[in-house]
Amino acid sequence: MRWLIALTVGCLSGCSVGHYEYSKEAAKRVDMTVTGIPTVLGIGALGTTIPLTPEYSLTAAHVAKYSLYRVKAWHPECDIAVVYHKNSEANLPPPFRNSHIGDEVNLYGYSFISAMPVASSGKNLINTTLANDWNKASCVVVAANAGVVKGMSGGAVYNASDDTLAGVIVGYSSQIDDNKSGKTLFKNVALYVPYARFQAWLDGVVKS
C-alpha cells in the first residue's frame, strides 16, 4: 500500500509513447468510434471500444462522453463506461482475468493519426495513482511499458499468456515519479484500468 501512496503519474505530453504498429488482430478485438468533436479534416476525433455483449461495448469514460453511442452506465470512480453498441455474437463475452505486476500484456486500439487498428506489447510495471476529471485517485491504474497513441483510449489490454482481457486503456504518461524522493521511476508508459477495479461493477451493469 505504501507504493500506491508514494507513486503518481507525471504529466501527459505529446500524442504517443513507446512503439506501436498496424495490426490486423486489433481490428478483430476492438472497434473504432468517432466523437462529435470536429477536426480540420471534417471528421471527429477517434476513440476505441471493446465488444462486450451483443448489445454493449466497454470503453473509457472520456471516450464515451463524446462518442456517438448512448451510455448505459458510468463507473463511479474509474475512467470506464459501458455503451450501447450492436456487436456480433461471435466470441462474446470476452474472457476476463486479473493481471499481475510483471505479466506480459498486449494492447489493442485505433490510432487517431491514421485511423487504423494498432497494437503494442509490454510488461506490467507498477500500480500507480491517476487523478483527473475522469479517474479518481482511489481507482488505481496499472502502468505498462507498452506503446500507446491517442485514439487507443478505451482499447483492450490482454494478458499475453492466456489471451484474456486484463483491462481498459485510459491513457499514457511521459513518466512516473516517486512522490517522496522525486525520483523518476519509469518513463513513457501506457496506463490502463485493471479488471480488478471494475469487475463487480461490470457484472452488475451487464445483468441489469
Side-chain angles (χ1 to χ4, degrees), residues 53-76:
T53 73
E55 298 179 340
Y56 310 129
S57 287
L58 184 64
T59 189
H62 72 269
V63 171
K65 174 68 175 180
Y66 301 107
S67 76
L68 303 180
Y69 302 135
R70 185 163 57 99
V71 176
K72 176 175 174 60
W74 305 93
H75 194 283

Side-chain angles (χ1 to χ4, degrees), residues 66-192:
Y66 301 107
S67 76
L68 303 180
Y69 302 135
R70 185 163 57 99
V71 176
K72 176 175 174 60
W74 305 93
H75 194 283
E77 296 180 327
C78 301
D79 187 2
I80 298 287
V82 171
V83 297
Y84 290 94
H85 186 256
K86 294 296 183 183
N87 300 303
S88 168
E89 294 189 19
N91 302 317
L92 292 180
F96 285 85
R97 179 176 69 79
N98 293 320
S99 193
H100 301 92
I101 300 303
D103 286 354
E104 299 289 334
V105 288
N106 298 318
L107 280 61
Y108 301 101
Y110 276 82
S111 166
F112 94 113
I113 298 174
S114 64
M116 299 292 285
V118 292
S120 67
S121 297
K123 182 172 67 176
N124 291 332
L125 300 174
I126 202 164
N127 293 325
T128 186
T129 55
L130 174 63
N132 55 31
D133 291 343
W134 303 101
N135 203 86
K136 296 181 180 179
S138 56
C139 182
V140 175
V141 300
V142 177
N145 59 354
V148 172
V149 62
K150 285 184 178 179
M152 288 180 74
S153 288
V157 179
Y158 274 82
N159 291 300
S161 63
D162 59 6
D163 206 31
T164 52
L165 192 55
V168 179
I169 302 167
V170 292
Y172 54 87
S173 180
S174 60
Q175 64 188 54
I176 294 182
D177 298 333
D178 186 318
N179 278 348
K180 292 183 178 179
S181 67
K183 179 182 178 181
T184 296
L185 301 174
F186 301 103
K187 291 186 176 181
N188 298 328
V189 296
L191 303 173
Y192 73 89

